[in-house]
Amino acid sequence: MNCNNTPALAACSGDHLEGVFLADVVGGKITHFYAIRNPDKLLALAAPRQISR
């Protein structure tokens, strides 16, 4: 998964999105690790989107 141009991992319980974990990678090493658990922010990430090009 990719979130905000950052490698990410989605944690789900059944069909419910519980959290998203992001990692900043610099020089092949993880420099920062972030967790998104705010239900309001997760709603925006869980919403299906159509991508047009």
Side-chain angles (χ1 to χ4, degrees):
M1 171 180 202
N2 190 321
C3 182
N4 293 334
N5 254 356
T6 302
L9 174 71
C12 298
S13 177
D15 290 336
H16 180 71
L17 181 61
E18 293 287 335
V20 175
F21 304 92
L22 298 92
D24 281 342
V25 179
V26 177
K29 296 180 181 180
I30 296 174
T31 57
H32 294 90
F33 193 72
Y34 305 96
I36 301 171
R37 298 264 306 150
N38 181 325
D40 295 330
K41 291 183 179 182
L42 291 175
L43 282 175
L45 295 171
R49 292 186 171 82
Q50 285 187 328
I51 299 173
S52 62
R53 297 182 188 233

